[in-house]
Amino acid sequence: MYQVVPGGAGGTITDVIPKQKHSKDTRPLVGAGVIGLVLVVAAVTAWCYYIASIRKAELLKTQLLDLNKDGYIIRNQGGSIVFRMDFRSGTLDLDSCSKEGEMLSCGQTTDRKLNFFIETVRPKDTVQCYRVRWEELVPDIPVEHAMTYTFAHWYGGAVSAIQHWPVSIKGQQAPKPFVTSDIYANRNEFGGILESYWLSSNATAIKINNSVPFHLGWNDTEKTMSFQARYNDSPFKPNPGEEPCAELSYRVCVGLDVTSIHKYMVRRYFNKPNKVPAKVMFRHPIWSTWALHKTDIDQEKFWSMLPTYANDRYTRRYGEYEFDPTKFPNATAMFQKLKSDGFLASLWIHPFVNYDSENFHTCVERGLFVREPTGRLPALVRWWNGIGGILDFTNPEARDWFSSHLRSLRSRYGVSSFKFDAGETNFLPWKFSTRTPIQDPSFFTRRYTEMAIPYNDRAELRSGYQSQNISCFFRPIDRDSVWGYELGLKSIIPTVLTISILGYQFILPDMIGGNAYLNRTEGNHVLPDRELYIRWLELIAFMPSMQFSIPPWEYDNEVVEIARKYTALHESIVAPRVLELASEVLDTGDPIIRPLWWIATGDETAYKIDSQFLIGDDLMVAPVLEPGKQERDIYLPAGRWKSYKGERFDIKEPLHLTDYPVDLDEIAYFVWV
């Protein structure tokens, strides 16, 4: 034992165990222990980070949606990715995100504050929806999300000059205003009937909210569609008194199959017609003077075209509402004779008043025109028949003035209805003002279509936006007298299917044979090609309504007999089925003219067919759309079918009929037995 000598005050004597020195042999053990301790600490730290990351990952999930800083993906019930959206206008700061119930919300990007949320909504067992909103808090910053479209085939959006089914995306387009336009004159724009709604073959649908200043773009290299909200360099306007802070809000819904999810979306988000137009519009052909006579119409030519529409131009100047006494010296007697002979006549009408019209000064003095941005002066606009003002249908006084003239024409001459032409936003100035401010330019289209409501038994419109409940016939824009997809014969089925998916079911396809413009006509440049005319006639016989302009007797007796055959077939077979389906539209909104995938939801081939269609579920039509062909390939869905020739097909799997013979005076159709 060692003894410690007391030292200093209070010192004591204590027995201690002497401290021993480590030998060289024990030093490696100490080093190993230190390393082990470091590894343990590292492992614990990694585990903590792992647990935190799991918790963050769980935080950023809601049902079948996974959110990350650059976008999100949605899976179906089987775990497959069916939808992907990337954020192009900012990167989320995930530390600013939180979750409460089925609501994911974030308040920050990497460089600015915002309001962002995704909320899960499960309206029914077979449907799962997600409400998405990205709201900027700083003015004039656009919001852009990019949807990858490679997971499926897509349908919907808008009619276009080159129409395909499903949607075919080519090239690159920076986001541009998604507004109605006259695609006959502006072939790269969106068409006169459009809705911000798309549907995919993998049972996914997206509906952009109507309040969004919506711009659409695409990139076929990246395989994306760009959904953008912005006010800068745009015809969209914020609400009066509000900062131009953009908000992109929409819903994405996923269902079991393409048909059922579309049915859900239509019932939930679309207007429905409140009545069925007059049965005569479905049963009997409509006649127009346009293709043969254009603006060179007079009383003699009018009588030669009975039964007829009196088309452009029956007044002295555009914007007047009295018959030209030179062209129509006895209009009153003409209409009385029409009525006594059992004919119904409709007149062409439009929203323009040309500057040389007697009514132009009246409209200026009373403030009935759309105005330039300050609201002080009327805005002159150019349309296909000149320059003038365009009536402001947000102004009750302008609506009453326009309506009074229509009522006068109806009461004075016994006019049955009107063909409402134009209405697209491209006829408005880029910057304009209206009596009642409108944020979305296409709302002007909606206001114009409302003018047809008193006449919707037999009225015709060519533009539509949120207008499904107007309950009239909607006519796609004029067709050229050509075979192809650019406003030609092949474009009719894709266009009608697109309009149907957008909720417009009472469809009047354009004139049989097309417009017959000299520079846009295949044939002898006076009449459309004879074969084209016949194939066009056969197809239109299976549409909800038929419209002639070029009479079949302009060709030969054989064409006349074919026309008689198919107008009779339309009246006896097609119209009764269409009318039956039309009454169902009021409740369901389901299409009358349907794609083949409507009854073949899991069939990849059915998703791509653009040359066949269904009327309801039980009448399938396969027209010949190629010149020089008297046969075609036909896809027959599984079921029990009977052909127009009497053949029976009782098939449990889809059947491809290769080179099925179809003579020039025939169209292939099959009835569900």
Side-chain angles (χ1 to χ4, degrees), residues 18-19 137 152 193 250 368 386 439:
K19 185 175 181 181
L137 303 179
I193 299 175
Y250 53 89
L368 305 185
Q439 287 69 56

Side-chain angles (χ1 to χ4, degrees), residues 440-621:
D440 180 348
S442 292
F443 198 68
F444 179 86
T445 299
R446 163 69 196 187
R447 282 285 177 253
Y448 178 57
T449 61
E450 291 171 353
M451 303 308 298
I453 291 175
Y455 312 99
N456 56 14
D457 268 357
R458 297 179 179 86
E460 170 192 326
L461 285 160
R462 84 169 196 188
S463 57
Y465 176 67
Q466 302 176 36
S467 305
Q468 297 92 338
N469 63 331
I470 302 301
S471 302
C472 357
F473 275 86
F474 285 83
R475 175 183 67 89
I477 196 72
D478 307 41
R479 305 285 114 172
D480 290 328
S481 300
V482 297
W483 288 90
Y485 284 102
E486 183 173 346
L487 296 178
L489 178 62
K490 287 185 179 179
S491 73
I492 293 176
I493 295 174
T495 299
V496 170
L497 290 174
T498 298
I499 294 172
S500 297
I501 288 297
L502 298 181
Y504 297 88
Q505 309 309 340
F506 307 137
I507 300 170
L508 173 63
D510 196 42
M511 299 169 292
I512 292 168
N515 258 327
Y517 286 124
L518 292 179
N519 60 338
R520 291 174 176 170
T521 299
E522 293 180 358
N524 63 9
H525 302 294
V526 176
L527 294 174
D529 175 75
R530 180 180 184 272
E531 182 187 6
L532 173 66
Y533 182 87
I534 292 171
R535 292 306 191 189
W536 205 305
L537 166 63
E538 292 164 352
L539 168 58
I540 299 304
F542 285 86
M543 291 292 165
S545 189
M546 300 180 70
Q547 185 180 53
F548 284 95
S549 188
I550 299 167
W553 52 85
E554 290 289 326
Y555 293 93
D556 51 50
N557 288 335
E558 182 184 9
V559 177
V560 171
E561 290 306 312
I562 292 173
R564 285 175 174 165
K565 171 183 176 180
Y566 282 100
T567 53
L569 183 148
H570 177 84
E571 183 177 357
S572 62
I573 295 178
V574 178
R577 184 66 181 118
V578 168
L579 281 166
E580 182 182 358
L581 293 164
S583 63
E584 298 174 5
V585 167
L586 308 186
D587 295 324
T588 67
D590 290 347
I592 293 174
I593 305 298
R594 300 172 181 177
L596 261 62
W597 52 248
W598 194 266
I599 61 171
T601 56
D603 192 325
E604 177 65 21
T605 301
Y607 295 142
K608 297 180 288 186
I609 290 179
D610 66 351
S611 63
Q612 298 177 224
F613 61 93
L614 296 163
I615 302 175
D617 290 346
D618 48 12
L619 177 56
M620 194 274 290
V621 186

